[in-house]
Amino acid sequence: MNTVLLMLSLIATAQGLRCMTCENARSHEDCDSQGVMRECLENELSCAIEERKVNYGPGRLIFKHCKQPLACNNNYIQNDRPAWWPIQCNDKFPNSVCRCCCFEDECNIGHERCFGKAAISCGNQEDVRGGITTCSDGNRFRSKCDFQCQAPAQIYPPDSSSSVCLEDGSWSKPAPCCANPCPALAVVDLVIILDSSSSVGEAGWQTLLSFTRSLLSLYTLGNNSVEVAVVRYNAEVDTDNIIPLDNGFNRDELFAAISSLPYDGSGTRTGNAINFTREFILENGHGHREFAHDLVVVLTDGRSQDDVAVPARLLRERGVMTYAIGIRPDQAPDNFDIRNDLLNIAGSEDHFFVVEDGFSRLNADFAEEITREICSDPCGLTPHL
Ligand SMILES: *[C@@H]1O[C@H](CO)[C@@H](O)[C@H](O)[C@H]1NC(C)=O
Ligand SMILES: *[C@@H]1O[C@H](CO)[C@@H](O)[C@H](O)[C@H]1NC(C)=O
């Protein structure tokens, strides 16, 4: 009994593949209804479909048969290849021929199995910015593109090192970028503008300086990462104590230079200080690096006595990212509002911060919060090419 069953199943698997066969059919339906279902020869292990577009008419001729897989595959890979003769499976040309094969019984009935998906193309995948993109099969269905970056740059967003051409003709992920780890290695010319007007107070000034050091301690300083300039101002810019971008200081020297910035004077001409930053600090010849992104952070405790909107806009028009940190003094009257100035300096709601309870909250955590904001788009902080 068992032997009989076994023999039957052996006979069943020994049977050839069954494929639809037809010649010169006008449509898949005609072929499938009038063609002959054939059992293929032993070496014909695939079913083939061939669509021939004849001249310029809408017409197409359909051929279906059994085929040797090797021959079938050779034909298939000639479909719609960029380097291939354009009439291979290209609807725009007369005499185009599309071919494909499949490997299961009756799989060449209809056309979806072959041309539905084989015809899908996702459009060229963009290259990863600053890295290398390699795709397994160009922009065709199921092609997988891998993105690689050169260290220390990393793929960003982190989970996007590859992308696949999907059935709906879209890539599973947009091309990422190669970004330096932020904040440590962001390639940034960072200018810190410090308000040292009389309302800040000696204690407040010390808080501003230590906050500046906390912020800077999150970055790696150097020509391949962050260069820092510090500008102190009140009614005027303190041009005797500028720390320019090309200060040449190591970290300790920079921190010492910041710590010894004097505190004196009165007046709050923030617009003037921002103009000075544009006209001097970020001007060529003072350490400004063309390939770096420019970031200006203004720390102030008050309303400016001059216009900040135009100076800040002129900075942004040069591609500078602007941030503002406002410290609302402890004793400030209720109607004291610096938000309008901060918004004008920063240019958008998410680029300014108000520290409500005076200088006490201006601590290291706050430096990290700002850095998170600055690093929210690491792709934007890769070197300009
Ligand atoms: C800074 O880096 C740039 C770009 O890599 C390079 O051209 C330049 O010579 C470097 N400058 C210094 C002072 O190392
Ligand atoms: C800043 O510079 C611009 C352009 O030179 C000028 O129009 C504007 O008045 C200046 N603003 C201040 C506050 O100095």
Side-chain angles (χ1 to χ4, degrees), residues 41-57:
L41 301 178
E42 216 172 302
N43 61 349
E44 294 174 326
L45 293 171
S46 65
C47 302
I49 301 180
E50 203 172 298
E51 284 189 9
R52 292 181 171 270
K53 192 174 161 82
V54 187
N55 297 323
Y56 279 100

Side-chain angles (χ1 to χ4, degrees), residues 183-186 188-194 208-222 225-231 243-245 247 249-259 261 295 297 299 325 363-364 366-368 370-371 374:
L185 291 179
V188 167
D189 280 344
L190 171 60
V191 186
I192 300 198
I193 302 180
L194 297 175
L208 278 189
L209 297 186
S210 74
F211 173 77
T212 302
R213 290 187 300 259
S214 301
L215 185 62
L216 297 184
S217 65
L218 299 172
Y219 299 87
T220 301
L221 304 178
S225 48
V226 176
E227 299 277 24
V228 177
V230 182
V231 174
I243 301 175
L245 287 167
N247 53 65
F249 293 150
N250 64 28
R251 175 178 299 269
D252 290 346
E253 291 162 345
L254 177 69
F255 282 22
I258 290 169
S259 300
L261 284 174
L295 209 140
V297 181
L299 284 110
I325 299 167
N363 54 22
F366 200 60
E368 280 177 24
I370 287 164
T371 295
I374 290 172

Side-chain angles (χ1 to χ4, degrees), residues 24-80:
N24 290 313
R26 293 278 156 186
S27 68
H28 284 275
E29 294 73 32
D30 282 359
C31 172
D32 296 344
S33 60
Q34 286 155 38
V36 176
M37 189 64 75
R38 225 193 82 193
E39 194 182 313
C40 303
L41 301 178
E42 216 172 302
N43 61 349
E44 294 174 326
L45 293 171
S46 65
C47 302
I49 301 180
E50 203 172 298
E51 284 189 9
R52 292 181 171 270
K53 192 174 161 82
V54 187
N55 297 323
Y56 279 100
R60 229 171 276 248
L61 291 177
I62 311 297
F63 302 75
K64 299 190 182 186
H65 35 255
C66 297
K67 205 160 175 90
Q68 295 177 19
L70 183 62
C72 195
N73 203 40
N74 284 343
N75 285 336
Y76 173 70
I77 62 172
Q78 290 164 7
N79 288 348
D80 195 23

Side-chain angles (χ1 to χ4, degrees), residues 271-272 275 278-279 306-307 310-311 314:
N272 182 55
N275 268 357
R278 176 175 48 82
E279 290 163 357
D306 61 4
D307 166 59
V310 169
L314 289 173

Side-chain angles (χ1 to χ4, degrees), residues 65-380:
H65 35 255
C66 297
K67 205 160 175 90
Q68 295 177 19
L70 183 62
C72 195
N73 203 40
N74 284 343
N75 285 336
Y76 173 70
I77 62 172
Q78 290 164 7
N79 288 348
D80 195 23
R81 287 277 148 155
W84 193 252
W85 181 239
I87 65 169
Q88 285 290 349
C89 195
N90 188 333
D91 245 6
K92 294 190 198 71
F93 292 86
N95 305 321
S96 153
V97 183
C98 299
R99 300 179 174 106
C100 96
C101 32
C102 50
F103 307 93
E104 290 133 49
D105 282 340
E106 306 182 15
C107 62
N108 64 345
I109 290 179
H111 73 291
E112 273 307 314
R113 185 58 173 272
C114 274
F115 297 110
K117 289 178 186 167
I120 293 167
S121 137
C122 281
N124 286 334
Q125 174 64 282
E126 269 177 65
D127 284 341
V128 54
R129 273 181 282 159
I132 299 167
T133 305
T134 39
C135 301
S136 61
D137 194 13
N139 58 7
R140 298 163 63 83
F141 179 49
R142 293 210 173 101
S143 173
K144 177 163 172 271
C145 296
D146 291 309
F147 307 109
Q148 282 176 308
C149 298
Q150 203 172 358
Q154 301 166 345
I155 291 281
Y156 188 87
D159 62 345
S160 53
S161 60
S162 67
S163 171
V164 176
C165 176
L166 302 175
E167 208 165 331
D168 67 359
S170 68
W171 290 100
S172 60
K173 299 207 170 110
C177 79
C178 292
N180 281 357
C182 188
L185 291 179
V187 182
V188 167
D189 280 344
L190 171 60
V191 186
I192 300 198
I193 302 180
L194 297 175
D195 173 359
S196 80
S197 59
S198 51
S199 56
V200 171
E202 179 64 40
W205 177 247
Q206 291 309 324
T207 311
L208 278 189
L209 297 186
S210 74
F211 173 77
T212 302
R213 290 187 300 259
S214 301
L215 185 62
L216 297 184
S217 65
L218 299 172
Y219 299 87
T220 301
L221 304 178
N223 187 40
N224 294 320
S225 48
V226 176
E227 299 277 24
V228 177
V230 182
V231 174
R232 178 184 91 100
Y233 78 99
N234 35 57
E236 302 296 336
V237 169
D238 177 5
T239 50
D240 292 338
N241 292 292
I242 301 281
I243 301 175
L245 287 167
D246 55 356
N247 53 65
F249 293 150
N250 64 28
R251 175 178 299 269
D252 290 346
E253 291 162 345
L254 177 69
F255 282 22
I258 290 169
S259 300
S260 61
L261 284 174
Y263 172 67
D264 57 25
S266 62
T268 310
R269 292 211 298 139
T270 310
N272 182 55
I274 297 173
N275 268 357
F276 175 83
T277 297
R278 176 175 48 82
E279 290 163 357
F280 180 84
I281 299 287
L282 295 175
E283 235 352 279
N284 292 335
H286 299 110
H288 177 242
R289 297 168 300 171
E290 276 304 319
F291 61 91
H293 289 264
D294 302 328
L295 209 140
V296 169
V297 181
V298 177
L299 284 110
T300 177
D301 83 326
R303 284 175 287 205
S304 180
Q305 289 161 341
D306 61 4
D307 166 59
V308 292
V310 169
R313 184 168 51 72
L314 289 173
L315 270 188
R316 283 193 294 278
E317 281 173 7
R318 280 184 42 166
V320 179
M321 285 179 281
T322 48
Y323 285 84
I325 299 167
I327 302 103
R328 213 182 120 83
D330 280 333
Q331 315 298 330
D334 282 350
N335 65 356
F336 184 86
D337 188 10
I338 54 176
R339 298 179 66 88
N340 195 44
D341 272 0
L342 296 179
L343 180 58
N344 279 331
I345 295 168
S348 71
E349 291 281 346
D350 53 356
H351 277 207
F352 79 82
F353 306 84
V354 185
V355 185
E356 287 291 351
D357 50 355
F359 287 92
S360 57
R361 250 213 69 204
L362 202 56
N363 54 22
D365 287 351
F366 200 60
E368 280 177 24
E369 189 178 325
I370 287 164
T371 295
R372 264 197 299 283
E373 177 67 35
I374 290 172
C375 291
S376 63
D377 176 23
C379 295

